[in-house]
């Protein structure tokens, strides 16, 4: 009976084939670090983007001493694929300085993000100026240059370039809310940064400076406004919704990878929509943690509803992704799913 109960428990924990799961796509804190010590409290904003079935987001703030404070998240925006949730918390001048954590959960999935709380008098303001893209519009597969200048305050109203600092470039496709890191670049002597990427799809670019722990002088975080890039391409857009479970467990366990391949249809005189793309081959890729070398772990053919399911062993901690390589690019484009990290112990 013990063996039977064990097997039944495993089956109950296993998601059904084709079942969409909730995924936490991103957790962002603004500002980071949070400046304290002034006369007025500083309200920090915690933004969470989820995908999959709609699920309430709950969260806690964890102070450096381990004490917890609940956060109340409210849905702010929804698209076809994602939802953005937002909560706020006021940090007064007596808030504990140090490393805090925000822990969030939705649909049985949890994520956390560390951020700093620091004395305001020890922080220098920074900003990203002149953020732009060139050329725009751009043809798919051509080079797109992203540039700007990281600056810090040098006087009451004066700003100067901040050299030798890392700026993160972020991108979110149209119809998506979560921003994903694309590249990192180090600023030059004048604080300017320029990086060239391959244009793949239309969407929104932004740049972010998150500070550096080794700096003797600490700077506020800086984020540019989003700038839209229009990519001209043949063929209809495709996208992959993708979830993987369980997120953690023993090495060698099997994880279930499920998702749906969709194609964007824009009928004349009617609203655009996303339709399932059946009878297409998708491949599952795995990148072991820290290796930077990914390899195909399996493939599947989408069903009539565009869905696919694969079960594969987890050999080690690493990143998984599903890719669709279109065999008819003039009709529909290739695409890649978000990356899902699975840990192995």
């Amino acid at each position: 009976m013990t063996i039977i109960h064990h097997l039944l428990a495993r089956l109950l924990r296993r998601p059904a084939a084709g079942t969409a799961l909730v995924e936490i796509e991103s957790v962002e804190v603004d500002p980071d670090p949070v400046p304290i010590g002034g006369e007025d409290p500083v309200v920090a904003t915690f933004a969470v983007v989820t995908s999959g079935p709609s699920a309430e987001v709950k969260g806690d703030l964890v102070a450096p001493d381990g004490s917890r404070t609940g956060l109340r998240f409210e849905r702010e925006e929804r698209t076809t694929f994602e939802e953005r949730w937002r909560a706020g918390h006021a940090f007064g001048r007596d808030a504990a300085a140090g490393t805090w954590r925000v822990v969030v959960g939705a649909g049985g999935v949890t994520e956390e993000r560390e951020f700093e709380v620091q004395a305001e008098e020890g922080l220098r303001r920074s900003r990203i100026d002149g953020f732009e893209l060139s050329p725009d519009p751009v043809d798919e597969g051509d080079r797109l240059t992203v540039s700007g200048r990281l600056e810090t305050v040098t006087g009451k109203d004066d700003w100067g370039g901040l050299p030798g600092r890392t700026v993160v470039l972020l991108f979110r496709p149209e119809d998506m809310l979560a921003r994903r890191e694309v590249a990192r670049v180090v600023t030059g002597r004048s604080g300017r940064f320029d990086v060239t990427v391959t244009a793949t799809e239309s969407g929104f670019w932004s740049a972010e400076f998150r500070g550096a722990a080794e700096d003797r002088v600490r700077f506020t975080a800086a984020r540019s406004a989003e700038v839209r890039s229009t990519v001209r391409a043949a063929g209809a857009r495709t996208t992959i919704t993708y979830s993987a479970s369980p997120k953690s467990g023993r090495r060698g366990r099997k994880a279930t990878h499920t998702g749906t391949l969709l194609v964007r249809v824009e009928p004349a005189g009617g609203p655009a929509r996303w339709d399932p793309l059946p009878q297409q081959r998708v491949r599952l890729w795995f990148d072991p943690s820290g290796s930077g070398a990914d390899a195909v772990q399996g493939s599947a053919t989408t069903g009539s509803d565009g869905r696919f399911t694969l079960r594969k062993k987890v050999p080690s901690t690493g990143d998984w992704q599903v890719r669709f390589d279109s065999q008819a690019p003039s009709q529909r484009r290739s695409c890649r799913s978000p990356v899902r990290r699975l840990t192995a112990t």
Side-chain angles (χ1 to χ4, degrees):
M1 289 297 293
T2 302
I3 295 176
I4 294 175
H5 288 161
H6 177 67
L7 291 174
L8 285 173
R10 290 183 62 185
L11 288 172
L12 290 173
R13 288 197 302 267
R14 182 185 302 175
T19 301
L21 302 176
V22 175
E23 294 282 354
I24 298 176
E25 300 291 348
S26 64
V27 179
E28 295 188 350
V29 182
D30 184 34
D32 180 13
V34 178
I36 58 172
E39 293 184 3
D40 299 322
V42 174
V43 177
T45 299
F46 305 93
V48 178
V49 175
T50 62
S51 64
S54 182
E56 183 181 4
V57 173
K58 298 181 179 180
D60 288 318
L61 283 180
V62 184
D65 64 1
S67 60
R68 303 174 80 96
T69 303
L71 291 172
R72 182 179 178 180
F73 281 90
E74 295 183 355
R75 185 189 293 110
E76 181 183 62
E77 188 176 357
R78 175 187 292 172
T79 68
T80 304
F81 303 106
E82 296 178 335
E83 294 181 328
R84 181 188 287 121
W85 300 75
R86 194 175 297 274
H89 180 78
F91 288 83
R93 61 189 308 163
D94 59 345
T99 302
W100 289 60
R101 289 183 297 133
V102 54
V103 182
V104 299
V109 181
T110 60
E111 290 286 346
E112 64 179 64
R113 164 87 182 264
E114 290 187 347
F115 64 98
E116 298 295 321
V117 175
Q118 295 183 356
E120 184 178 41
E121 62 181 5
L123 294 173
R124 287 177 60 183
R125 288 182 295 155
S126 66
R127 70 181 185 186
I128 294 175
D129 190 43
F131 183 69
E132 59 184 9
L133 312 174
S134 179
D136 186 55
V138 61
D139 291 331
E140 181 185 15
D142 284 356
R143 309 302 284 171
L144 175 67
T145 299
V146 184
S147 59
R149 187 171 187 249
L150 176 62
E151 300 178 336
T152 185
V153 66
T154 57
K156 184 176 181 180
D157 297 309
D158 297 327
W159 294 81
L162 188 54
R165 302 305 193 280
T166 299
V167 172
V168 179
L169 297 180
L170 303 159
F171 176 76
R172 65 176 182 91
E174 293 178 321
D175 302 317
M176 302 295 182
L177 298 174
R179 305 183 309 153
R180 297 183 175 89
E181 183 177 320
V182 174
R184 296 190 174 202
V185 59
V186 177
T187 58
R189 294 178 61 182
S190 67
R192 184 170 178 81
F193 59 89
D194 297 272
V195 63
T196 300
V197 297
T198 301
T200 57
E201 59 182 319
S202 298
F204 300 88
W205 291 86
S206 58
E208 189 172 276
F209 169 60
R210 299 170 180 169
E214 63 272 14
D215 278 338
R216 286 182 296 178
V217 177
R218 299 303 302 272
F219 300 92
T220 61
R223 181 183 298 174
S224 74
E226 286 189 323
V227 177
R228 189 180 188 278
S229 171
T230 301
V231 176
R232 296 176 297 216
R237 290 174 57 198
T238 59
T239 192
I240 298 172
T241 65
Y242 164 51
S243 56
S245 179
K247 300 295 184 189
S248 61
R250 61 179 178 80
R251 186 188 304 269
R253 75 184 188 279
K254 283 193 174 182
T256 301
H257 305 263
T258 61
T260 305
L261 176 62
L262 300 161
V263 61
R264 187 173 175 84
V265 178
E266 300 181 1
R273 66 178 189 270
W274 288 92
D275 285 354
L277 189 53
Q279 300 303 308
Q280 301 294 319
R281 178 72 63 179
V282 296
R283 291 179 170 83
L284 179 65
W285 291 73
F286 173 62
D287 182 7
S289 179
S291 74
D294 51 6
V296 176
Q297 296 296 306
S299 64
T301 300
T302 59
S304 59
D305 55 1
R307 292 184 178 182
F308 60 87
T309 299
L310 296 102
R311 279 182 54 79
K312 294 294 176 181
K313 288 185 177 181
V314 180
S316 63
T317 296
D319 295 331
W320 297 78
Q321 185 181 56
V322 178
R323 302 176 187 175
F324 167 60
D325 298 315
S326 175
Q327 301 303 304
S330 61
Q331 299 177 26
R332 59 184 76 93
R333 286 179 259 169
S334 301
C335 64
R336 298 185 177 191
S337 75
V339 171
R340 307 300 180 203
R341 167 150 290 218
L342 303 182
T343 59
T345 56

